[in-house]
């Protein structure tokens, strides 16, 4: 019965988030799908870990709270408390220089100059989650942010151009409906795909994406989960490299119309089937990459905690052995000293006492 309830919660929560969450970030769809892909790739230890660090009602289903960082910052989804979370708004994205086609971490996202961004936030929450000295509330929050931000960073326009606010200011029409470029990538293309090709059933689309990951992209998965830059190998998440991919995609694909012309604020776009057919493949690849990388990061964090616990146990064991050896040495030394002193005292006591020379009668 419990299993039955858990699976009902699992599927209904995905559906619920997908049904109501098409407003922010990747959109509820993108975040739920990315997290649901990741869920299938978690190790048993990671599944237990997420169960321990997410609220009980999720039963360890990371999709259920994948959009939480978006909900907390808006008054319509968090009317009482949204002001307290405004500091986290800038952690969802990074602005890159218009048509520079590169991401420069020192200039575009520098924690020291107060310019926070999704790159730094992924690193920050990765470190916090792996740090067992942090209190539980901080680590639980870190997990929820991490699930979301690794999704966000795979939506190319979350590393879009500064001048058009990541495509939000570029307006136009998609299949005749008014929208902006950012929303097109956040929700609209995904919604169209689910409704047209998967009978409006997000779970069928999830199955399709998982199947694509295991077949079409099976050869790519090890490359996608490996840090291409050696300076990033010290991190558990390679977010800088993922943003570099976004910057390239933006220049070559996202910001170009059906005639390969650059899109801008000054000209309304008019996009349809050609843009949808060619871009949807890239968008799906990003959803799969996001899921794969999210699972890899969580698995790495859990592995590093397990390794640390093991080495702490070994350290503790070695220390106890050392203390035992010291104690044993002290006891042995004390016993030696005691027996030495005792032998000396016995010998003195056994020697004849010569009180008077006359008493000594040498043997003839
Ligand atoms: Zn977001």
């Amino acid at each position: 019965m419990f299993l039955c309830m858990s699976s009902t919660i699992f599927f209904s929560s995905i559906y619920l988030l997908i049904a109501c969450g098409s407003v922010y970030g990747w959109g509820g769809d993108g975040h739920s799908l990315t997290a649901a892909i990741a869920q299938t790739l978690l190790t048993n230890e990671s599944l237990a870990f997420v169960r321990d660090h997410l609220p009980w009602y999720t039963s360890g289903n990371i999709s259920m709270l994948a959009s939480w960082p978006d909900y907390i910052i808006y008054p319509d989804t968090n009317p009482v408390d949204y002001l307290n979370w405004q500091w986290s708004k800038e952690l969802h994205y990074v602005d890159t220089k218009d048509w520079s086609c590169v991401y420069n971490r020192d200039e575009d996202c520098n924690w020291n100059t107060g310019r926070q961004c999704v790159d730094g936030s992924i690193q920050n929450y990765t470190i916090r989650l792996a740090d067992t000295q942090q209190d539980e509330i901080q680590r639980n929050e870190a997990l929820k942010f991490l699930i979301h931000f690794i999704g966000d960073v795979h939506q190319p326009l979350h590393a879009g151009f500064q001048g058009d606010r990541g495509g939000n200011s570029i307006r136009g029409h998609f299949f005749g409906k008014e929208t902006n470029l950012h929303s097109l990538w956040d929700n609209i293309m995904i919604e169209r795909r689910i409704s047209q090709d998967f009978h409006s059933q997000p779970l069928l689309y999830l199955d399709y994406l998982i199947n694509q990951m295991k077949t079409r992209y099976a050869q790519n998965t090890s490359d996608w989960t490996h840090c291409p830059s050696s300076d990033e190998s010290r991190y558990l998440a390679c977010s800088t490299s993922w943003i570099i991919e976004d910057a390239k995609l933006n220049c070559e694909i996202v910001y170009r119309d059906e005639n390969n012309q650059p899109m801008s604020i000054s000209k309304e776009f008019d996009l349809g089937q050609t843009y949808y057919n060619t871009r949807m493949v890239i968008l799906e690849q990003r959803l799969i990459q996001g899921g794969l990388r999210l699972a890899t990061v969580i698995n790495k964090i859990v592995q590093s905690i397990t390794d640390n616990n093991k080495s702490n146990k070994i350290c503790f064991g070695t220390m106890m052995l050392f203390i035992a050896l010291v104690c044993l040495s002290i006891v042995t030394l004390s016993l030696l000293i005691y027996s030495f002193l005792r032998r000396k005292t016995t010998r003195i006591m056994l020697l004849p006492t010569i009180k008077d020379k006359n008493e000594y009668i040498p043997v003839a």
Side-chain angles (χ1 to χ4, degrees):
M1 190 182 160
F2 178 73
L3 270 176
C4 186
M5 261 180 69
S6 303
S7 60
T8 309
I9 290 171
F10 181 84
F11 290 117
S12 59
S13 64
I14 291 179
Y15 185 76
L16 188 71
L17 283 171
I18 285 172
C20 69
S22 55
V23 188
Y24 314 114
W26 240 135
D29 300 344
H31 282 296
S32 294
L33 289 165
T34 300
I37 293 168
Q39 187 95 32
T40 66
L41 301 167
L42 294 178
T43 61
N44 286 338
E45 291 77 16
S46 298
L47 287 170
F49 178 83
V50 296
R51 212 176 296 124
D52 287 347
H53 288 85
L54 290 178
W56 65 268
Y57 56 82
T58 64
S59 305
N61 172 7
I62 61 174
S63 285
M64 280 184 79
L65 293 172
S67 291
W68 172 81
D70 281 337
Y71 295 150
I72 55 173
I73 55 180
Y74 294 100
D76 51 345
T77 41
N78 186 18
V80 178
D81 201 30
Y82 77 99
L83 284 173
N84 285 331
W85 294 98
Q86 295 307 296
W87 58 269
S88 66
K89 260 186 169 175
E90 59 183 7
L91 306 183
H92 292 243
Y93 61 90
V94 58
D95 283 329
T96 53
K97 287 186 189 64
D98 298 6
W99 294 102
S100 71
C101 312
V102 290
Y103 164 61
N104 183 336
R105 182 177 173 144
D106 290 337
E107 288 177 17
D108 301 329
C109 177
N110 191 343
W111 289 92
N112 300 328
T113 57
R115 215 168 168 181
Q116 302 181 359
C117 83
V118 69
D119 191 4
S121 61
I122 288 174
Q123 298 305 342
N124 178 34
Y125 288 117
T126 305
I127 293 165
R128 278 192 195 202
L129 187 57
D131 182 1
T132 49
Q133 302 299 311
Q134 291 274 341
D135 71 56
E136 281 302 290
I137 295 172
Q138 292 287 325
R139 292 179 74 212
N140 298 352
E141 196 176 286
L143 176 60
K144 288 187 281 182
F145 275 129
L146 201 57
I147 292 166
H148 181 86
F149 292 145
I150 292 182
D152 270 348
V153 84
H154 285 85
Q155 203 282 51
L157 287 169
H158 275 248
F161 301 158
Q162 202 168 7
D164 52 52
R165 302 183 303 122
N168 276 296
S169 305
I170 300 182
R171 302 200 62 83
H173 291 82
F174 182 64
F175 285 98
K177 277 194 178 170
E178 201 183 338
T179 183
N180 67 62
L181 189 62
H182 192 96
S183 298
L184 196 61
W185 279 79
D186 262 358
N187 324 299
I188 294 171
M189 286 200 288
I190 302 177
E191 283 167 7
R192 184 178 182 85
R193 180 86 162 120
I194 295 171
S195 71
Q196 291 221 321
D197 302 322
F198 297 92
H199 314 289
S200 299
Q201 293 190 42
L203 290 178
L204 290 182
Y205 187 44
L206 173 63
D207 286 344
Y208 167 80
L209 290 175
I210 291 170
N211 187 264
Q212 288 282 294
M213 175 179 71
K214 290 179 178 171
T215 53
R216 181 176 182 176
Y217 298 118
Q219 304 289 322
N220 304 85
T221 52
S222 67
D223 272 355
W224 287 349
T225 50
H226 166 255
C227 260
S229 153
S230 58
D231 9 302
E232 275 195 294
S233 51
R234 65 203 150 106
Y235 298 121
L236 295 170
C238 322
S239 45
T240 302
S241 301
W242 305 336
I243 297 171
I244 291 169
E245 292 170 357
D246 284 330
K248 196 166 179 285
L249 283 174
N250 282 333
C251 280
E252 291 174 1
I253 291 159
V254 178
Y255 276 95
R256 291 195 178 270
D257 68 13
E258 293 176 344
N259 299 313
N260 210 29
Q261 294 304 305
M263 288 191 262
S264 69
I265 304 176
S266 55
K267 195 178 155 211
E268 283 205 349
F269 59 78
D270 188 15
L271 305 171
Q273 201 67 49
T274 306
Y275 189 89
Y276 174 69
N277 285 349
T278 48
R279 274 56 173 184
M280 200 60 217
V281 182
I282 306 297
L283 195 155
E284 281 176 355
Q285 215 180 76
R286 291 308 269 170
L287 290 174
I288 294 168
Q289 284 175 327
L292 261 170
R293 288 163 173 173
L294 173 58
T296 305
V297 170
I298 295 175
N299 287 340
K300 274 190 194 176
I301 289 172
V302 174
Q303 188 61 52
S304 81
I305 293 169
T306 312
D307 291 347
N308 275 347
N309 285 347
K310 267 186 201 162
S311 71
N312 284 345
K313 271 184 191 163
I314 291 169
C315 271
F316 182 74
T318 313
M319 211 170 75
M320 292 309 288
L321 189 69
F322 177 73
I323 291 169
L325 281 173
V326 169
C327 289
L328 195 69
S329 308
I330 291 169
V331 171
T332 314
L333 200 66
S334 308
L335 282 172
L336 280 171
I337 293 169
Y338 174 75
S339 70
F340 174 75
L341 289 174
R342 197 176 147 81
R343 268 181 67 195
K344 215 172 171 185
T345 316
T346 315
R347 269 184 68 196
I348 291 167
M349 283 177 69
L350 287 173
L351 280 173
T353 312
I354 306 168
K355 289 180 185 168
D356 193 336
K357 275 186 181 176
N358 295 335
E359 282 183 27
Y360 180 66
I361 304 161
V363 178

